[in-house]
Amino acid sequence: MSGHRSHLSTPGLLRRQFLAGPGASIALAVLVLVGAFLATAVPRAVAALHDAALAEHLAQFPANELDLTTETRAHPDAGPSTGSTTLADDVDAVWGHQEDLLRGIRDRLPEPLHGITGEPLAALTIGPVRARVPGASPSSPEYRVMPGFDPRLREHVELTSGDWPTPVEGGLDGATPLDVVVIDAVADRMDWELGEVRTFGQGTLDQPIRLVGTAAPVDADAGIWTHVASALTPSVVDNGLAPPIITGVVFVDPGSWPAFAEVSLPTIMQAWIPVETGRIVAGETPELRGRLGEFSSAVHNLGSGDFTGFVATVGDVGFLSGLGEALGEAASAAAASDAVLATIASGPIGVMIAVLVLGGRVVFERRRTGLELAAARGAATGQLRGILGLEGLMIGVPAALVGGIAGTLAVAADAGPGGWLLVAAFAVTPAILLVASAPALSPLRRARADLGGARGGRFRWIVELVVVLLAAAAVVLLLRRGLSTSAAETGVDPLLAAVPLLLALVACIVVLRLYPLPLARLVRATGARSGLVPFLGSARALRDPSAGLVPVLAVVVGVSVAVFSAVLLGTVQSGVDRAADRQVGADAAVSGMPLTLAQLDEFRAVPGVEAIAPVYSTRGADLSLDGRPRSTTLIVVDAAEMRALQAGRADATPLPEALADATDDDGVPVLLSGIVDELVGQADTAELDGQSFRALGVVDGRTAYSPRANWVLMDRANAEPFTDTLVPRTVLVRFEPGADADAVTAALASIAGEGTTVTTPDDLAAELSGRPTAQGLVVGLVAAIVLASLLTALAIVLTLVVGRPARDRLLPLLATLGLGRRGEQALVAWEVGPVAVVAVVVGAALGVVLPVVVLQGVDLRAFTAGDAQPAIAYDPWLITAVLAGSMLVSVAAAWAAARIGSRVDAARAMRKEEEG
């Protein structure tokens, strides 16, 4: 007797549980595994998306805008280092002390700022000054040189011909030529041969300058070339009315700086700490912005600050960087992305919860008979709860661990520990669901679902009223608040994320309250007919429905998410197309290098070109507001020319005819951007480059003429006092109707030459759609459609599985009375058909309405690159295809579930009925 094991002991009951129908437990474990996988993989994928979007955003900026840079007209504090530099001895004797100070500044940078920076650099240029060519005619090009000093010149360039410049002994005497080396492209454009001597004016001296070598950059994409302007390619100013002016940097031996210390020419010295954008991760953005602000607001010592004659030596300086602003822009885009993804994810999360509840119910129903039998034989309630809880943990914990680890390994990014908290929640969910079902265990016959008491009915009304009020309050608050632009600081908005799910719950209440009404009429109508299946099916669906709140929620949310995602996909794509049209502003835009009058004439002569309109200038300008300086961009166009080119375009910039009017006492007529208009409206006096102006109109956002949103536009006729050159770098082109766009753009590119690009709206739309943020949204929406459709199908399958025990008792008995296989399948369809049809209709309607509500609080401009929120676009073909696909998957899954598990014989059914 001592060796006897009771089958009613906890181990015995657990063993019997696992041996009886393990399929339900395995299915629930798979659901937990998938949920845990998504809990770790999705946040990491979002983090990787933000990192990629940040990298792409920063790649749009030249290095000199992101590096920590100081610029001064003071001279360097020359002297040797303490031996810590790797400069050549003669160069270290001049630049070593300054490099020591720069290294010290970088070494004191706090993390994570220090970790994203490289070794500091410095460069100095003089001039520009005219370099005269002996014997040149007055119509020859004018050449200007900027003697440059790069302490690490031989690390940045390599000789392609000639020799390195020799050091200057003493000072410039006007007799001994100054040896220089230039980049190949500069030498070619300036028609400068090796050994050729030219002269530049230095005070009362004419200093000869000799080209002794040409070089090529070791890395043409290195950041130094953005700091040293006109070093790789010369600056060319050619307005077609005078000889072109060609300016380029000529490199002098860096150890020769003392010879130039007394030169009476303007100097610009830059020192910078390079920013390595590849080391920046989106998760560090808030801390980085704070550290940048602290660093930029402090002063740093770069020399003694003493005066040598009338020339100052560099002293305390401040460093500036556009990195903080760029990070802020990227953070705002990431926050907008998070808001959209959270809104999309709330639906599948709701469906996943519903499916897990159904999965737990399936497992419970599989165990119910055995547990009720054990209860009838004396098993304690605590023992039954313990059995259910242990089985739940044995289902959930291993599956959650496997899913969490798989999700972590699937995406190489760091999203913090938050995902593993969700994994832990998934691990205990089966145990919680099973234990929560324990009160339903009873050895007595089960009650009918349609015979609930009055108390339960009152409680249901109260819960439903609370849900409706919460949803109404959330929608009202969202509509009153409007579009959120502070997501970068506040993060994901819980209100915005909850609205879709709250509205889905309201839709479920509507479905559950309304669908019994027509169903009851159908029962009465079919009861008067001779057919058994319609009457019995409708009566069972009304009296004891398989589809309660949980499956209805799954269907409504799944369908609404699929339709909402389809609408959002169409809206984003439409917004991208419109943004591309607006930014190009014509059938094509040629931009890049300065364009000559001859090239403009060639553009006009290209077959298929109807008209062109150059943008003559987009230079920086000074805006004085009550004496306070602000920078802006001055855009110069020929208004009549541009109006003709953009005629008929919905995205044309409105250019008043009065722009071409002459300047009067009120000032020059201009058009203002919304940003400038707001600034001007806050000031009592406003001037543009010291001149008064009068605004003829205001246009919000950017134009096709410049990527800047802060601008002032004037007509070419009034531009003379504000700009000394009208050499276009951008030309808008209008094609003739029916022209071959590919042939025209190819001809334009050939005329424009190297360094220019020809962009069409289609090209730009493809580029915008290919950005990580836009691609991430598309992937997220497609994934939401697929996941919601699969989970909806799974919810219908599980609903049928939950109702299978009742069918196993009923159908064999009906079969003995002559019911055929088709009749059995029809009864199965009646179990979920009526409520599923209503839920699909309501879910589709909700999916159509959701964008109208949700997009009041979601900023889609981060995905479209437009200045305005895109209008909601309903693509009927896309919505129909998504809805049809989702329903096809659900119907196929339901059909398969109805066929799994063939007939149960009548004897077995009768035995179950006697036991039940």
Side-chain angles (χ1 to χ4, degrees), residues 93-434:
V94 177
W95 298 93
H97 175 58
Q98 182 169 275
E99 183 158 316
D100 268 351
L101 294 174
L102 279 172
R103 286 174 177 266
I105 293 172
R106 178 181 181 258
D107 290 342
R108 291 189 293 273
L109 290 176
E111 294 293 349
L113 186 56
H114 180 274
I116 67 163
T117 58
E119 294 296 327
L121 296 170
L124 182 148
T125 56
I126 299 175
V129 61
R130 183 176 181 181
R132 297 186 298 275
V133 179
S137 66
S139 61
S140 298
E142 179 180 326
Y143 301 112
R144 297 182 180 182
V145 296
M146 300 171 63
F149 298 84
D150 176 9
R152 296 190 176 274
L153 176 65
R154 301 195 184 193
E155 298 176 18
H156 295 144
V157 302
E158 54 188 5
L159 282 176
T160 56
S161 64
D163 300 307
W164 294 108
T166 58
V168 177
E169 301 293 339
L172 301 179
D173 56 12
T176 305
L178 172 67
D179 290 343
V180 296
V181 62
V182 300
I183 301 299
D184 290 317
V186 178
D188 292 342
R189 192 67 178 85
M190 300 182 80
D191 292 328
W192 204 344
E193 301 291 338
L194 280 178
E196 180 185 345
V197 177
R198 298 180 180 182
T199 58
F200 69 87
Q202 160 46 34
T204 59
L205 297 176
D206 283 336
Q207 175 62 42
I209 181 171
R210 177 172 56 199
L211 180 64
V212 297
T214 59
V218 173
D219 179 7
D221 296 324
I224 183 175
W225 307 119
T226 65
H227 287 274
V228 185
S230 304
L232 285 190
T233 56
S235 167
V236 179
V237 176
D238 184 3
N239 59 14
L241 303 177
I245 301 173
I246 303 170
T247 306
V249 173
V250 297
F251 289 103
V252 183
D253 177 77
S256 301
W257 163 250
F260 286 78
E262 301 300 326
V263 170
S264 58
L265 290 173
T267 63
I268 296 179
M269 184 180 70
Q270 287 191 57
W272 66 94
I273 303 174
V275 171
E276 303 293 342
T277 56
R279 302 178 189 174
I280 303 176
V281 294
E284 294 179 345
T285 293
E287 188 176 1
L288 265 178
R289 294 178 67 189
R291 297 299 188 187
L292 279 167
E294 294 171 3
F295 178 75
S296 299
S297 62
V299 294
H300 309 272
N301 181 257
L302 202 56
S304 64
D306 297 335
F307 276 82
T308 303
F310 294 99
V311 180
T313 301
V314 65
D316 290 341
V317 298
F319 285 80
L320 298 177
S321 172
L323 179 61
E325 183 178 353
L327 291 176
E329 294 170 354
S332 296
S337 175
D338 287 343
V340 175
L341 294 176
T343 303
I344 296 169
S346 66
I349 289 173
V351 183
M352 174 64 78
I353 293 173
V355 171
L356 280 172
V357 171
L358 284 172
R361 186 175 169 189
V362 169
V363 173
F364 175 74
E365 292 295 336
R366 284 289 186 269
R367 306 294 181 243
R368 184 169 190 161
T369 301
L371 291 173
E372 288 179 343
L373 181 60
R377 294 178 177 177
T381 302
Q383 190 179 19
L384 299 178
R385 291 178 184 271
I387 291 169
L388 289 171
L390 285 174
E391 181 174 2
L393 291 176
M394 294 178 68
I395 292 172
V397 173
L401 284 175
V402 172
I405 293 172
T408 301
L409 298 177
V411 183
D414 183 14
W420 280 98
L421 296 177
L422 292 177
V423 170
F426 275 110
V428 300
T429 295
I432 294 173
L433 292 174
L434 292 177

Side-chain angles (χ1 to χ4, degrees), residues 3 28 71 91 118 135 150-151 215 243 272 278 291 330 384 410 447 544 573 602-603 611 673 708 710 720 749 827 897:
L28 183 57
E71 182 176 300
V91 179
D150 176 9
W272 66 94
R291 297 299 188 187
L384 299 178
D544 195 12
Q573 188 55 56
E602 290 184 64
F603 287 162
S673 69
R708 306 291 184 183
N710 177 347
E720 184 177 347
L827 285 175

Side-chain angles (χ1 to χ4, degrees), residues 819-859:
L819 184 67
R821 184 64 173 169
R822 288 188 176 181
E824 293 179 3
Q825 293 175 350
L827 285 175
V828 173
W830 272 103
E831 289 188 26
V832 295
V835 69
V837 170
V838 178
V840 166
V841 173
V842 173
L846 178 61
V848 172
V849 173
L850 269 179
V852 179
V853 178
V854 172
L855 292 186
Q856 299 297 319
V858 175
D859 191 352

Side-chain angles (χ1 to χ4, degrees), residues 83 130 138 152 165 272 289 310 466 492 596 598 674 718 724 770 790 888:
R130 183 176 181 181
R152 296 190 176 274
W272 66 94
R289 294 178 67 189
F310 294 99
V466 169
V492 175
T596 65
N718 298 314
D724 57 358
L790 292 177
L888 184 62

Side-chain angles (χ1 to χ4, degrees), residues 40 114 354 368 412 444 503 531 589 660-661 720-721 739 774 784:
T40 52
H114 180 274
R368 184 169 190 161
L444 303 177
L503 291 178
D661 292 350
E720 184 177 347

Side-chain angles (χ1 to χ4, degrees), residues 529-543:
R529 299 176 183 176
S530 59
L532 171 66
V533 172
F535 170 70
L536 183 59
S538 58
R540 291 186 71 242
L542 178 65
R543 191 185 73 173

